[in-house]
Amino acid sequence: MKLQRKNRLRATALGALAVSGALVLTACGSDNNSGGDTGGSGGKTKAASNVKCDGAKGQLRASGSSAQKNAMDLWVKDYMAACSGVEINYNSSSSGEGIVAFNQGTVGFAGSDSALKPEEVADSKKVCKTGQGINLPMVGGPIAVGFHLDGVDSLTLDAPTLAKIFDTKIKKWNDEAITKLNPGAKLPDKPIQPFHRSEDSGTTQNLGKYLAATAPSDWKYEAEKKWPAPGGQAASGSSGVASQVKAVDGSIGYFELSYASSQKITTVDINTGGAAPVKASSENASKAIAAAKVKGTGKDLALDLDYTTKAEGAYPLVLVTYEVVCDTGNKADTLGTVKSFLGYTASTEGQQLLTEAGYAPIPEAINTKVRETVASLS
């Protein structure tokens, strides 16, 4: 009996040491890592086995798009596990804040869900010195429209109806426009509570582009990063909007699919006018993004997305997050790390992580150009 008790105590101690060790390893990862928020690989670092750490050193600060936060969490954790002594600090704020930080010279790169405007490119020349800011498409994915309606676990909407909901023109869940799209569904006589982003957001701008392209009679607003329509309720970041939708019965909001997946929020199927409504998924978003054309010039790889596609299985409400960098004139103390880190995120291994986190990899034809451009940064 004493021997058995001794063995049990020894096993307990070893288990405690194992847990302690796991916590230490976790603490060595990104300060911005949210673990379970990714819905992805968690502690896996296998994808980082082919990282080229040459020239990487010290700390690299970056900020911007919250749309790519869950992807960045995975990338940063794996990259830092592979490149000892290098720290990547990505501040998930918003696309607008990221561009401001980039043009103020306080970050090595910025994440933005919209390509740089001409005036932002002009401002970037003050920081890039010998060059200018360029857009590198790195993360693709669907903008999911999530809803919380007790007793309803499936919902189909089209662009005109979405436009009227977010413009607060449709106010009840049993409105005729919604019931026609959902025959047989028991939709309650309950107020709709739409949520939108409180800060400048590329996700907001991409939703605006989609609604303007597909429901021009019902969405009269310019596609800007600031929410344009009256009414509704605001929340900070994609995580904030998702949290509100998760908590509030009768609510609806927009955010990247990874937030819907991690918080188990039901998403709207979109009636595009095609053969069948399309679900928000990485695969279906990839079908839409694959049709994108590069509209940027020189090393700029800004894309032109087709929001009006009716291709079978193509989910049209998509966004692409760009990493904004200087083509030339990068700071010498961060250039090596920028090239090394973005080289990993654009690699086959880095892009493969996106699907498991609810995103869509950038099509290979475009991503090949991204890798070539990253390698040429100076």
Side-chain angles (χ1 to χ4, degrees):
M1 292 293 290
K2 289 182 178 179
L3 180 60
Q4 290 177 343
R5 183 172 181 273
K6 184 177 181 180
N7 286 339
R8 284 198 300 271
L9 290 170
R10 183 172 181 272
T12 300
L14 288 172
L17 285 171
V19 172
S20 176
L23 291 172
V24 170
L25 286 173
T26 301
C28 292
S30 164
D31 291 340
N32 200 32
N33 177 51
S34 60
D37 285 347
T38 65
S41 64
K44 295 179 183 178
T45 57
K46 183 178 179 181
S49 60
N50 293 325
V51 170
K52 296 180 180 178
C53 303
D54 299 343
K57 60 182 180 180
Q59 183 186 73
L60 173 62
R61 300 178 64 85
S63 69
S65 166
S66 66
Q68 67 173 355
K69 177 188 181 298
N70 293 335
M72 274 291 170
D73 285 346
L74 287 173
W75 282 334
V76 168
K77 174 183 275 189
D78 286 5
Y79 180 85
M80 287 174 57
C83 297
S84 177
V86 181
E87 180 182 354
I88 309 295
N89 187 341
Y90 182 78
N91 176 30
S92 172
S93 51
S94 69
S95 297
E97 293 175 65
I99 296 303
V100 169
F102 179 76
N103 282 341
Q104 289 176 342
T106 60
V107 295
F109 71 88
S112 177
D113 305 323
S114 297
L116 292 168
K117 295 179 179 179
E119 58 268 28
E120 292 171 335
V121 174
D123 287 343
S124 73
K125 294 179 180 179
K126 301 172 186 177
V127 174
C128 298
K129 305 298 184 184
T130 60
Q132 65 180 43
I134 58 173
N135 304 283
L136 300 179
M138 198 68 71
V139 180
I143 299 176
V145 178
F147 70 97
H148 177 176
L149 191 57
D150 288 349
V152 179
D153 56 11
S154 178
L155 188 69
T156 295
L157 297 173
D158 58 13
T161 307
L162 277 171
K164 292 172 187 174
I165 288 173
F166 282 116
D167 199 18
T168 62
K169 295 293 193 297
I170 291 179
K171 301 181 183 295
K172 292 288 190 74
W173 279 108
N174 63 347
D175 187 275
E176 183 180 4
I178 302 177
T179 58
K180 281 185 177 180
L181 291 165
N182 297 273
K186 295 181 179 179
L187 296 167
D189 182 16
K190 183 179 294 185
I192 298 174
Q193 299 192 53
F195 282 89
H196 58 262
R197 293 281 289 273
S198 60
E199 75 286 0
D200 286 2
S201 161
T203 311
T204 294
Q205 188 171 36
N206 279 275
L207 173 66
K209 289 178 180 178
Y210 166 74
L211 293 176
T214 55
S217 298
D218 300 297
W219 192 257
K220 303 291 188 179
Y221 307 101
E222 293 292 326
E224 298 292 345
K225 293 177 181 176
K226 184 176 180 63
W227 181 255
Q233 301 178 62
S236 178
S238 291
S239 59
V241 175
S243 294
Q244 290 297 320
V245 171
K246 176 74 172 179
V248 178
D249 183 30
S251 62
I252 189 169
Y254 59 95
F255 32 79
E256 293 66 44
L257 181 61
S258 60
Y259 292 94
S261 300
S262 64
Q263 298 199 40
K264 295 180 172 57
I265 297 171
T266 308
T267 60
V268 169
D269 298 341
I270 293 184
N271 183 339
T272 64
V278 186
K279 294 185 177 299
S281 72
S282 297
E283 180 182 0
N284 292 343
S286 291
K287 292 177 182 177
I289 295 172
K293 306 294 183 184
V294 175
K295 64 179 181 180
T297 58
K299 293 183 178 181
D300 185 81
L301 299 176
L303 300 178
D304 187 12
L305 298 169
D306 181 10
Y307 296 104
T308 63
T309 180
K310 296 181 181 179
E312 184 177 357
Y315 184 83
L317 181 46
V318 296
L319 63 72
V320 169
T321 301
Y322 301 94
E323 312 312 336
V324 176
V325 296
C326 296
D327 54 1
T328 64
N330 287 277
K331 294 179 180 179
D333 59 341
T334 57
L335 174 60
T337 311
V338 168
K339 294 178 69 172
S340 174
F341 180 66
L342 296 185
Y344 165 57
T345 64
S347 70
T348 300
E349 294 82 4
Q351 289 288 300
Q352 285 175 343
L353 286 179
L354 293 177
T355 300
E356 61 186 86
Y359 297 96
I362 299 300
E364 184 59 27
I366 298 170
N367 197 44
T368 297
K369 298 177 181 179
V370 173
R371 289 195 289 264
E372 291 172 352
T373 302
V374 169
S376 72
L377 301 179
S378 62

